[in-house]
Amino acid sequence: MFKNISNTYPIKEEWTRIIRPPSGWFNIDIKRIWHYRDLIKLFVYRDFVIYYKQTILGPLWWIIQPLFTAGLFTLIFGKIAKISTDGIPHILFYMSGVIVWNYFAGSLLEISKTFVKSASIFGKVYFPRMVIPISIVISELLKFLIQFFIFILIYFIFIFKGVPVTISWSIIFLPLFILQTALLALGFGMIATSFTTRYRDLMLAINFLVQLWMYATPVVYPLSLLPEKWRFFSIFNPMTSIIESFRLSLLGAGTVTVPFTTLNIFITLLILITGMILFSRVEKTFIDTV
Amino acid sequence: MNETVIKVENLYKEYRLGIIGHGTLCRDLQSWWAKLRGREDPNALITSQGEIKKKNLKDHILALDNVSFQINKNDLLGIIGSNGAGKSTLLKILSEITFPTRGEIKIKGRIASILEVGTGFHSDLTGRENIYLKGTILGMRKKEIDRKINDIIAFAEIEKFIDTPAKRYSSGMYVRLAFSVAAHLDAEILLIDEVLAVGDNNFQKKCLKKMEELTREERTIIFVSHNMNTISSLCNKGIYLKDGEVQMISTPSECIKKYINEGKNSDRPDNYIFSGPLISKIHFNEICINSREGVKNPVIRPEEDIKITLQGECLEDIEDFKFSLSIFKDDIKVLTMQDVKEPQKLIKGSFLSEFVLGKYLFRPGVYTITVEGNGRDKKAWISGKDIESFTIAEEYCQQFKRENQGIINIPDCGKRRYI
């Protein structure tokens, strides 16, 4: 499986590396990615440093943006359209949806640009290309954690004010849901970048699709509001299960069942593997086609 | 022991020409469909039997065409060839940036490449941060860099600017830092592509010295350059590539000779390239070194006199005219000569100017010739830079001792007395 570019030891001659034309459909060298873990750290650090250099508010934007979006959603969907939030305070309901969705969509969109954006560096030096998507998911995770911290602050404000929010026992799985989001974004992002490298206009399509996708996911409405006949389709959207579980864990209201979640974890892994296979194929040829 | 560290076997690399558009999608689907049915890809240039399909030749190009060679440990290999010969493609495949279409490369040890100066630098990060970034991109671990960072900074001579963002760096500082990081890598094999051209003279020398040192430390270096002097003085093995094919694997000087001689036959126009207002009045027929006609970069043995003749037609009398001929080595002007003592009229008709230099004068290497002509009028001039060149062969003889280093050779000028 890993024979292609990894360590192979033919019988008589001892070579540490053999370069051959790409063949086979799965040749990801996990060991090499592990060797480059310091590079992942540095890329994450670089993304962070660059975010605040020569800006006025810097990382504050990460806080302002979800707060404003949640505020806007409260106004439009909560106050004007009067969409139910399963009894959860509006701002908490929308913000929980927005930060999780932003983590997913932000990572996905950023990863989908991997090959196009890094073409110049990829053309000059070799390192496992998967380092870039992985570092993006981690950078975005840090951003998410900052937003999550703000969410928790607001959460406690509501608790002190005596608003009844209940925490579900499923909170122990919270890190796993976040991991699932990361893997899902990684998978979809890598699928997307594999196609946009060759056909640039797909980038526009992806931006558009992600926007539509948000409305197909219970970010601005609870799943319980969806009519029974449509709810079937939402089974195949792993983001639905993630956001509903996230809300159930922290806010005590969400439509989650064990088979539903299990199926979605399975779908997520399937997408991740598809993404990795496509990505590893493209990384070997893209420099000649970019 | 001479152990092979890189073995390249029957390497091919094909590139598809033309733009990627909706037609590409169509061909992609065609290729994919063929592959799915286990058939031959109709759009590939090389079939699995190694034959080249003529039909696909017009929109494909073979950047590397059956390249095979071996490199031993401690070799300093110089790759020469004109632009588009496949040098960079070869380095790219060696460093796994792109993959070969056919053939394989076997490697023993870690490879690090410096294919371009600014690679992996981020202009918003400081020099120190960039060292870490660049080092890890090249495959170093953080611990390794921690250990070497002081050496890296010292070698690059940027102590003062190390905590300044790289965007304030000069291009020279960029190269120095880049080379320094790569040179301190623990990789057994280093690939270097024409990066040294940017640094200043001192730093270039320092890099060359470092490269020599590295080969002594059991490293192997593959070096691509258009600077023949660097290749001939630094490398112990040469490969001459032309249109993706290996033309010669030999000593660097042999390869350079072949490369330069072939260059003469293929792309030299009949007219030498001169500029200036007088080009309409003076036409050169031949610039000849030691009567070797039609030979580009003739090789001159140390014991030969060097005779350079300029022969041409003057279409109109030019007052107070003289030709000056300058000889350069590595862009350093070695000397300038005049064809007449005092400027005098260049008479309409053919002319022949001759310059003679004594034997044993120049040390081995490549010398280039620049010809200039000046009339009385300030606007009356003609100039041709680097129009010809010659090589002084490396040969040992009594008046040409190896220890007399430098550009000029003066035999037996010293004396010792006992008082």
Side-chain angles (χ1 to χ4, degrees):
Chain A
M1 280 267 150
F2 296 97
K3 63 171 178 272
N4 226 347
I5 48 166
S6 62
N7 304 340
T8 345
Y9 293 102
I11 307 142
K12 274 175 194 162
E13 296 162 309
E14 277 202 2
W15 303 100
T16 45
R17 194 151 202 81
I18 293 183
I19 301 171
R20 285 207 189 101
S23 66
W25 54 273
F26 190 84
N27 34 47
I28 304 156
D29 198 340
I30 309 280
K31 243 171 39 194
R32 269 192 123 177
I33 297 175
W34 180 243
H35 176 83
Y36 278 84
R37 59 191 181 279
D38 285 338
L39 183 59
I40 298 179
K41 274 185 233 159
L42 272 161
F43 274 140
V44 172
Y45 172 77
R46 181 194 68 179
D47 290 347
F48 244 71
V49 169
I50 286 150
Y51 208 86
Y52 69 74
K53 277 198 178 163
Q54 301 209 337
T55 56
I56 307 171
L57 296 176
L60 268 184
W61 288 112
W62 293 338
I63 301 166
I64 294 169
Q65 192 254 344
L67 277 178
F68 267 69
T69 317
L72 197 71
F73 284 175
T74 307
L75 193 71
I76 296 172
F77 301 110
K79 299 277 187 260
I80 299 173
K82 295 203 168 49
I83 295 173
S84 144
T85 56
D86 278 355
I88 301 166
H90 284 162
I91 194 86
L92 287 181
F93 178 86
Y94 291 118
M95 198 167 167
S96 60
V98 164
I99 61 174
V100 178
W101 178 259
N102 275 359
Y103 177 40
F104 172 71
S107 309
L108 168 55
L109 289 178
E110 203 53 44
I111 293 169
S112 72
K113 294 178 226 154
T114 304
F115 283 121
V116 176
K117 255 177 108 176
S118 313
S120 65
I121 184 168
F122 284 179
K124 300 295 175 212
V125 61
Y126 173 82
F127 54 87
R129 306 318 190 197
M130 232 170 261
V131 159
I132 300 264
I134 293 172
S135 68
I136 290 171
V137 155
I138 297 174
S139 298
E140 295 280 327
L141 179 67
L142 294 177
K143 195 164 125 184
F144 167 79
L145 289 178
I146 293 171
Q147 293 174 353
F148 184 68
F149 176 72
I150 299 299
F151 172 78
I152 294 295
L153 281 185
I154 299 172
Y155 186 77
F156 279 117
I157 293 171
F158 273 93
I159 288 179
F160 277 122
K161 278 165 68 184
V163 178
V165 276
T166 42
I167 292 175
S168 155
W169 58 270
S170 62
I171 195 160
I172 49 167
F173 292 123
L174 202 63
L176 286 180
F177 298 136
I178 301 307
L179 179 70
Q180 194 192 346
T181 317
L183 296 182
L184 193 66
L186 202 60
F188 270 118
M190 289 199 293
I191 293 172
T193 193
S194 304
F195 287 107
T196 51
T197 310
R198 225 170 149 81
Y199 309 106
R200 297 289 164 82
D201 47 353
L202 288 179
M203 195 75 96
L204 300 170
I206 286 165
N207 275 315
F208 180 59
L209 276 175
V210 168
Q211 247 172 42
L212 288 186
W213 194 349
M214 188 188 94
Y215 289 101
T217 307
V219 175
V220 294
Y221 56 85
L223 185 63
S224 60
L225 208 67
L226 217 62
E228 203 62 50
K229 55 180 176 183
W230 290 356
R231 221 181 277 180
F232 172 74
F233 295 102
S234 69
I235 290 175
F236 299 104
N237 176 5
M239 279 316 287
T240 302
S241 124
I242 292 169
I243 290 185
E244 284 295 311
S245 310
F246 188 81
R247 281 189 184 139
L248 178 70
S249 308
L250 285 161
L251 304 166
T255 317
V256 186
T257 57
V258 175
F260 177 47
T261 310
T262 321
L263 176 70
N264 276 303
I265 289 171
F266 183 70
I267 293 175
T268 304
L269 290 177
L270 203 70
I271 286 164
L272 179 70
I273 290 168
T274 313
M276 283 169 82
I277 290 169
L278 284 173
F279 190 91
S280 71
R281 287 179 70 101
V282 171
E283 75 171 3
K284 295 198 172 59
T285 53
F286 100 100
I287 207 70
D288 303 335
T289 55
V290 77
Chain B
M1 196 192 99
N2 270 349
E3 186 190 358
T4 307
V5 286
I6 296 180
K7 195 168 177 183
V8 176
E9 286 170 335
N10 307 85
L11 205 66
Y12 290 91
K13 176 71 187 175
E14 80 172 73
Y15 280 107
R16 184 185 286 175
L17 302 176
I19 49 167
I20 291 175
H22 56 273
T24 328
L25 180 61
C26 194
R27 274 197 302 272
D28 279 353
L29 290 174
Q30 214 180 0
S31 302
W32 177 75
W33 178 235
K35 226 182 261 173
L36 207 68
R37 291 178 302 166
R39 301 272 180 84
E40 198 70 55
D41 182 353
N43 291 310
L45 181 55
I46 310 168
T47 63
S48 50
Q49 285 84 43
E51 290 157 4
I52 292 168
K53 270 194 270 176
K54 291 263 157 47
K55 176 175 80 79
N56 288 332
L57 204 59
K58 68 175 193 300
D59 50 357
H60 287 72
I61 188 171
L62 271 179
L64 290 178
D65 191 349
N66 202 1
V67 171
S68 306
F69 61 88
Q70 289 188 14
I71 305 170
N72 294 334
K73 207 170 186 174
N74 295 358
D75 267 350
L76 225 161
L77 174 79
I79 302 179
I80 55 172
S82 44
N83 289 330
K87 304 184 297 287
S88 299
T89 307
L90 184 60
L91 286 200
K92 276 189 177 171
I93 294 177
L94 275 170
S95 50
E96 288 181 66
I97 288 161
T98 181
F99 280 77
T101 314
R102 265 168 65 77
E104 64 179 30
I105 302 177
K106 293 169 180 164
I107 298 164
K108 217 174 276 178
R110 231 163 92 183
I111 284 199
S113 59
I114 333 177
L115 301 193
E116 203 183 78
V117 177
T119 314
F121 279 161
H122 198 285
S123 53
D124 274 317
L125 299 179
T126 67
R128 191 183 301 277
E129 289 165 340
N130 269 314
I131 291 178
Y132 279 99
L133 190 60
K134 172 108 190 172
T136 41
I137 284 178
L138 290 175
M140 276 200 256
R141 300 294 322 280
K142 191 176 168 292
K143 281 178 290 185
E144 256 179 275
I145 305 172
D146 285 336
R147 240 185 306 123
K148 291 177 179 164
I149 189 149
N150 289 330
D151 293 345
I152 294 174
I153 297 169
F155 186 85
E157 300 166 19
I158 52 161
E159 289 93 340
K160 242 194 250 171
F161 309 96
I162 196 65
D163 292 310
T164 309
K167 58 187 164 191
R168 318 230 186 282
Y169 282 17
S170 70
S171 53
M173 286 154 81
Y174 256 87
V175 199
R176 286 196 325 246
L177 198 60
F179 183 85
S180 184
V181 174
H184 287 84
L185 214 61
D186 273 337
E188 288 84 6
I189 302 158
L190 252 164
L191 310 177
I192 300 171
D193 187 2
E194 201 70 81
V195 277
L196 302 176
V198 198
D200 65 8
N201 245 335
N202 277 333
F203 191 74
Q204 279 187 25
K205 271 182 228 146
K206 203 169 155 181
C207 292
L208 298 178
K209 213 180 117 201
K210 180 82 189 172
M211 277 157 68
E212 274 180 293
E213 266 174 43
L214 288 176
T215 44
R216 250 175 266 138
E217 292 170 14
E218 307 275 278
R219 309 284 184 94
T220 309
I221 296 178
I222 301 180
F223 185 58
V224 167
S225 179
H226 287 288
N227 188 339
M228 298 301 145
N229 285 308
T230 320
I231 296 246
S232 66
S233 64
L234 193 71
C235 302
N236 65 346
K237 198 171 179 182
I239 286 185
Y240 167 35
L241 279 180
K242 190 184 170 190
D243 300 330
E245 287 175 64
V246 174
Q247 299 287 314
M248 187 181 234
I249 304 176
S250 180
T251 59
S253 51
E254 286 294 307
C255 289
I256 291 171
K257 211 153 81 184
K258 190 170 162 88
Y259 167 56
I260 288 172
N261 284 339
E262 285 188 9
K264 171 81 173 183
N265 301 331
S266 60
D267 54 32
R268 172 53 63 103
D270 288 339
N271 288 333
Y272 295 101
I273 304 147
F274 279 89
S275 56
L278 285 181
I279 47 169
S280 56
K281 293 180 187 167
I282 296 172
H283 181 84
F284 286 93
N285 292 330
E286 195 168 57
I287 295 163
C288 190
I289 301 161
N290 283 18
S291 323
R292 287 179 205 164
E293 290 163 37
V295 180
K296 193 170 181 223
N297 194 352
V299 176
I300 296 169
R301 302 215 319 278
E303 67 267 28
E304 281 179 84
D305 284 334
I306 301 165
K307 191 166 100 181
I308 303 163
T309 51
L310 311 177
Q311 193 257 310
E313 306 284 333
C314 174
L315 307 176
E316 209 176 284
D317 286 354
I318 304 165
E319 292 296 330
D320 288 352
F321 187 84
K322 63 168 187 212
F323 278 117
S324 345
L325 188 145
S326 306
I327 294 181
F328 286 83
K329 187 183 191 214
D330 301 341
D331 289 330
I332 295 164
K333 195 184 257 180
V334 181
L335 54 88
T336 300
M337 301 169 280
Q338 324 290 334
D339 66 335
V340 283
K341 277 188 186 136
E342 294 296 329
Q344 62 184 66
K345 194 201 263 178
L346 185 68
I347 301 157
K348 187 179 168 186
S350 6
F351 63 85
L352 182 85
S353 288
E354 233 177 44
F355 301 84
V356 180
L357 291 159
K359 51 191 157 193
Y360 302 125
L361 180 63
F362 294 124
R363 295 293 311 160
V366 179
Y367 293 82
T368 57
I369 294 170
T370 292
V371 173
E372 281 169 325
N374 285 297
R376 179 177 19 175
D377 194 352
K378 268 202 173 147
K379 280 181 193 153
W381 60 272
I382 184 167
S383 149
K385 204 173 163 5
D386 296 341
I387 46 165
E388 269 297 353
S389 65
F390 59 88
T391 304
I392 302 286
E394 180 134 30
E395 236 169 73
Y396 180 81
C397 57
Q398 193 52 40
Q399 279 110 324
F400 207 64
K401 288 185 180 129
R402 196 155 283 168
E403 58 261 37
N404 293 349
Q405 290 169 354
I407 299 174
I408 301 292
N409 178 64
I410 301 177
D412 309 326
C413 58
K415 214 185 230 174
R416 186 190 291 165
R417 283 187 297 160
Y418 295 97
I419 43 168

